[in-house]
Amino acid sequence: MFGLKTDWSLDIPSRYFILDDYLGNEARWCPGCGDHAVLTAVQRICRDEQLPPEQTVVVSGIGCSSRFPHYMATYGFHSLHGRALPVACGVKSRRPDLKVFVATGDGDCCSIGAGHWLHAIRYNMDMVVMMFDNNIYGLTKKQTSPTSKPGLATNTHPRGSWLPALNPTAATLGFTNVSFMAQTVDWMPAHLHAVLQAAYRHRGLSFVRIAQRCPQYTSKVFEEYVNNPDKVLVLEHQNGIKLDPSLDRFYKTRMTHDPADIVQATAIAHREDVLPIGLFFWDPSRPCYDDFTQLGMDMTPEDKIRALNEEMDRFAV
Ligand code: SF4
């Protein structure tokens, strides 16, 4: 009856999103490509966190993984090579209310985009940056990337890459104002999901390096870790990634690591005997540039002109 007051109510949200709400075009990555697993994880996180698709933006550069925005039914920006991060920072500076995910690869981020990489870490704007590391330029068909291991034969180095591979995890930990650095792999869906969810919930720039299999061009680079779970070092801590108990049976190589300890995080990042995964570093107190860039956004055009005139008057002689 209208007007009848009860001591209970059904709190039914006006909109409830299901996985289908985030499915974009059919993914056209190669069969077995690790990118498929990341796409599934991100779509599930959007559903779990109930992100309105029109409030969500996926920004990418150029590369196989950078096709990501086409496969999400959200807003997207498939930008230029190496430019995903400045575009994402631009989106965030004008629309701090939007949830921003960035898809970039090892070539896109660590080579042509390297200058943007270190400054985006320093800006620490609230977004999730997923760096798909398959140790190769896949889209352009097998050129040496900054993370290619010495000896890897590619089209640009047919006798094997010979420079030491760049370590993106250790590098990121060394950038000023880093606030969240994690590492995961595409073949452990529970871990991948947990890491990306923690990254989403962190306020600031969450940088996640994802060891991503490319069966087309670098099918062997992660093979020893896929075939031998003992070679995967799982980082544990009460402030770290909450692990699904289903992983306990297979992944027994563990290490307690406090993500506040950047010195130990850097030492772990340099280990080559195992592939460490989990939360390397987390500091939620680091300043976020979006707190600054959104100042004055609610000003009217008249307010802006008045403020501009006041500013210019300071130089009047
Ligand atoms: Fe994935 Fe490699 Fe195929 Fe690109 S070339 S879609 S990275 S498997």
Side-chain angles (χ1 to χ4, degrees), residues 301-316:
E302 292 74 27
D303 287 341
K304 287 181 182 171
I305 289 171
R306 194 177 313 113
L308 200 54
N309 280 331
E310 281 175 17
E311 189 62 20
M312 299 301 274
D313 285 347
R314 293 194 314 118
F315 302 99

Side-chain angles (χ1 to χ4, degrees), residues 28-30 33-35 64 134 138-139 212-217:
R28 292 171 60 192
W29 291 306
C30 303
C33 175
D35 295 359
C64 289
N134 57 8
L139 187 73
Q212 178 243 312
R213 290 169 299 172
C214 170
Q216 188 69 24
Y217 297 124

